[in-house]
Amino acid sequence: MSDLLQFVFSGLTVGAIYALVGIGFALIYNASHVINFAQGEFVMIGGMATVALIDMGIPMLPAALVAIAIAALVGVALEKLAIEPARNAGVVTLIIITIGASILVRGVVEVILGKQFHRLPSFSGDQPILVGGATLHPQSLWIVGALIVLVIGLKTFFDRHPFGKAILATAHNRLAAQLVGIEVKTVLVASFAMSAAFGAIGGILTAPLTLTQYDVGVMLGVKGFCAAILGGLGSPFGAVLGGLIVGLAEALAAGYISSAYKDVVAFVLILLVLFFMPSGLFGTKGTERV
Amino acid sequence: MGQGTLGRWGGLIALIVIVAALPLILPNKFYYDIAIKTGLNALVCVGLNLLIGYAGQISLGHAAFFALGGYASAVLTTRYEWNGFLALGVGAVITGILAYVVARPILRLKGHYLAMATLAFGIIVSLVLNREIWLTGGPDGVTVPALRLGDMRLRSPETWYWITGGALVVVTWAALNLIHSPAGRAIRALHGSEVAAETLGIDVARTKTMVFVLSAVIAAVAGSLFAHAERFITPNEAGFLRSVELVTMVVLGGMASTFGAIVGAALLTVLPQVLAGFDDFKHIVLGAILVCTMIFMPKGLVPSLGTLIRRGRR
Amino acid sequence: MTSLEVAGLTKSFGGVTAVDDVTFAITPGHVHSIIGPNGAGKTTLFNLVAGLYVPTSGRVVLAGQDVTDLPPWRRAAQGLGRTFQNLQIFFNMSAIENVMAGRHLRARTGFLGSLFALPSAWADNREARDHAAALMARVGLGAYIDADADAMPYGALKRLEIARALAADPTLLMLDEPAAGLNPTETHEIDRLIQSIAADGITVVLVEHDMKLVMGISDHIIVLDHGRLLAQGTPAEVARDPAVIAAYLGGDPA
């Protein structure tokens, strides 16, 4: 029983990170109908930039904030330099562009910061907490707590703030949003920035536990995509649920089946969702008009 | 698109001439090795281009098929001491069957979903190759014996150059035949408008599957040749980065252009060797090429140059 | 034997019933038109007959064969051809290759045969090209034989799509708004083209908004409104029908 609890704890912890990446996918998809294959790199930038800044002598909290800002800037740059010029290009073109951008970002970080793994200090120490026979690392509480705060914040933003509503409107119907005076370009830029910020926060939160390195973005990106489609591509909150499910599935599979194949779980899930349930749990189905 | 007969067969003749004449200027084994790797990449890209450029699909997991062919050859000749040619054939068949099984559900997807599904498939294959150490030797890879033809062991770089060059010429010839045939027009119709293709009697699902399987089998054969030429194979050959490299070659050289795919493969295999210290910057260059090509030259090098030349003539 | 019969054909999308219990028969060798206000369900009906949509209920019978469960590519083999309201030209091919693609059902060489350049592939190509060139000349596109599809004007592309559909030797040709976006001269050319197609014995069914074209060219008209069959008959009968006048002809410009 305590084994199961252990797996649940680790599953929810890693699932929360996937959720943050997945929210990012959903936000960008809603604003631009682009699936951003570079999403995972924002997580990587969060962790790596914080490490680099701390190495330069900057204390943890300001370093983290600056790292988040850097990630947001990269997100905006991605939108302006790579997505916008290809606005009307075909889907395949856009996919290749975001893949290219992700490789480019990864390459830059590799050159500047090298190939090694780096670690961030845990936010409140490494003393494990005993809960029901299982151990819980305090960082997990930070991660899940941050997810809850961010989700509540996002919901409030969408429900109450006029710009939040503008983002929702653009997601539903871009043309109509433009016609009522919503500055769609701003929505686009803001969505990329927010999406990057969310990812970066995830990267900073998880670096104490899972370490960070120039290459961590790929796997995280794909698993975050799994979270997003499981939840239904247009739904940031669905992505949260999707992320937790993916995290739990991974942890349970690693615990009960084989830890060597832990990574395969997410990829098999992607195939299953795409084959049998492409609109996910909360997404909307559409039909093509000819 | 509208390529004249002269352009088509002229290109093939040029390829034959280049393959035949290149050894005259290759100074040593190192250069032969680059030429062989180029030829094998070009082989995969010709097949991949049929899928991406002509049929308008996308595959971010094609390296998996290359690796499967390579590993089939490696494992069958090493552990079970099969004849190399037999192993190559069996590898191609097994990969073809796997591609067929995967194709039906995957090719119902389009655009981003298809890209992600092929990506997931490719990574699953590379993870399995990494983990099943008892079969594949795991991340350390497998040493592959030389290919045997009767009593001869095919080992020398020159031999492998001719094998690779020959295979490339044959596959290019076959690809050109296919493209300029009714089956080829059916394939290109998929890219133009699947809906319209259906109303002309084209079985869209079956056509997509056939192109997918064909490109997978070509990749597997190239992988088998690679295993014997290099006498070594690792799971990296199935990795996501390898798949992206292959797509970059096709995209850079020219989608819907067989010779473009060959040029793209040549550029991206030779360039890293030529630029010293390239390895550190590999990711930056690869990423930049992808982004810039798709924004400024979405048709790729060869078709874009072709258009420029045609405009210059008028 | 009728060219086409639909019986009780119904299609609902979520809460919207686009086509509601429609039944009619198309006799061979004439020009039939389907008209109705916007949203009447004309294109949905077309897509149902073509096989692009699966009906919620009802049957589609083509030349005596029940094709309701057949996918579109199988219906093409039964002699059904179609053009589209929004052009579905293969812009990645040249004009003549578009029409050659229409010859798909005639090709004898399969995938493998094409790879290895069997002589039959060469013969297929020759036949397809000759046939396509003749068709393009027939629809008035002789000047565009060597052109790329993406270099052609809209009116020419409409005719190219018709040529492509004809390349499959259809017995029943469905034209979805062939005159949409065309000026009066071009519309007149389409009019004559349709008549010459019908004169060759091909049954033509059109969906059109251009009333002048429809009234002039049709032997038989079917009127849809809100997904239901409102009336059918000769142009004169339909023009006199009070229900039709009320629903549609009243203020609609040609």
Side-chain angles (χ1 to χ4, degrees), chain A residues 5-6 9 127-137:
Chain A
L5 198 56
Q6 191 71 62
F9 285 158
Q127 185 72 274
I129 306 167
L130 276 168
V131 179
T135 54
L136 187 61
H137 193 290

Side-chain angles (χ1 to χ4, degrees), chain B residues 1-3 8 50 53-54 170-171 173-175 177-204 206-207 210-211 214 299 310, chain C residues 50 52 71-74 76-77 80-82 84 88-94 96-98 100-105 107-111 114-117 121 124-125 128 148 150 161 164-165 168:
Chain B
M1 210 159 74
Q3 253 202 325
R8 186 201 324 172
L50 289 173
Y54 286 104
V170 168
V171 168
W173 171 78
N177 290 335
L178 181 63
I179 290 162
H180 298 276
S181 73
R185 282 185 287 278
I187 292 171
R188 292 160 67 195
L190 296 180
H191 193 16
S193 163
E194 278 187 32
V195 155
E198 288 242 21
T199 62
L200 297 173
I202 296 171
D203 182 352
V204 165
R206 182 173 173 272
T207 309
M210 305 239 60
V211 184
L214 177 65
K299 289 216 166 97
R310 259 182 283 159
Chain C
L52 292 165
W73 63 274
R74 279 240 160 83
L80 183 65
R82 147 201 201 156
F84 295 85
Q88 297 286 329
I89 290 287
F90 304 137
F91 284 109
N92 57 330
M93 296 198 242
S94 68
I96 198 162
E97 283 172 327
N98 265 267
M100 286 165 78
R103 209 81 187 123
H104 177 81
L105 288 167
R108 289 175 303 132
T109 321
F111 206 82
S114 303
L115 272 174
F116 296 112
D124 285 337
N125 274 334
D148 285 336
D150 59 9
E161 213 174 71
R164 183 179 69 187

Side-chain angles (χ1 to χ4, degrees), chain A residues 1-289:
Chain A
M1 183 55 206
S2 63
D3 269 354
L4 177 60
L5 198 56
Q6 191 71 62
F7 300 146
V8 168
F9 285 158
S10 60
L12 288 176
T13 306
V14 75
I17 305 296
Y18 298 157
L20 286 170
V21 182
I23 292 177
F25 268 111
L27 287 173
I28 288 185
Y29 182 77
N30 275 344
S32 65
H33 285 284
V34 167
I35 292 192
N36 178 23
F37 278 72
Q39 192 62 30
E41 307 310 322
F42 297 138
V43 178
M44 183 272 289
I45 291 175
M48 290 297 279
T50 310
V51 164
L53 290 166
I54 288 181
D55 279 348
M56 291 200 274
I58 301 175
M60 175 77 172
L61 188 55
L65 291 173
V66 172
I68 295 172
I70 292 176
L73 276 172
V74 172
V76 171
L78 174 65
E79 200 280 312
K80 290 260 159 236
L81 298 175
I83 307 288
E84 229 172 79
R87 261 272 79 197
N88 298 310
V91 163
V92 172
T93 307
L94 281 166
I95 290 171
I96 296 176
I97 288 179
T98 56
I99 292 180
S102 88
I103 296 180
L104 180 58
V105 165
R106 211 178 312 151
V108 169
V109 172
E110 181 191 3
V111 163
I112 299 179
L113 297 172
K115 292 195 200 206
Q116 325 88 288
F117 279 91
H118 296 275
R119 194 178 172 275
L120 280 177
S122 305
F123 293 7
S124 42
D126 291 302
Q127 185 72 274
I129 306 167
L130 276 168
V131 179
T135 54
L136 187 61
H137 193 290
Q139 193 67 19
S140 298
L141 292 173
W142 280 100
I143 294 175
V144 177
L147 177 68
I148 294 174
V149 166
L150 285 170
V151 169
I152 294 177
L154 195 63
K155 184 110 185 35
T156 315
F157 179 60
F158 282 154
D159 284 344
R160 307 269 186 81
H161 194 281
F163 191 61
K165 294 195 200 176
I167 293 182
L168 282 183
T170 312
H172 276 292
N173 188 327
R174 192 193 178 85
L175 183 58
Q178 279 176 304
L179 291 174
V180 298
I182 290 177
E183 199 50 73
V184 164
K185 280 218 163 106
T186 315
V187 167
L188 206 54
V189 167
S191 297
F192 270 79
M194 272 168 51
S195 168
F198 272 58
I201 293 172
I204 297 169
L205 288 167
T206 193
L209 283 182
T210 59
L211 306 181
T212 182
Q213 188 225 22
Y214 82 103
D215 220 9
V216 296
V218 187
M219 283 292 188
L220 281 171
V222 182
K223 293 179 183 180
F225 174 78
C226 185
I229 48 157
L230 188 52
L233 200 46
S235 167
F237 304 108
V240 174
L241 190 58
L244 295 173
I245 294 177
V246 175
L248 278 170
E250 244 185 36
L252 292 171
Y256 291 125
I257 304 177
S258 149
S259 69
Y261 277 102
K262 175 173 75 91
D263 286 328
V264 171
V265 169
F267 299 113
V268 171
L269 262 176
I270 288 182
L271 287 179
L272 289 175
V273 171
L274 288 176
F275 289 167
F276 300 117
M277 226 187 12
S279 37
L281 295 167
F282 301 112
T284 41
K285 277 190 153 234
T287 31
E288 200 192 328
R289 288 185 139 252

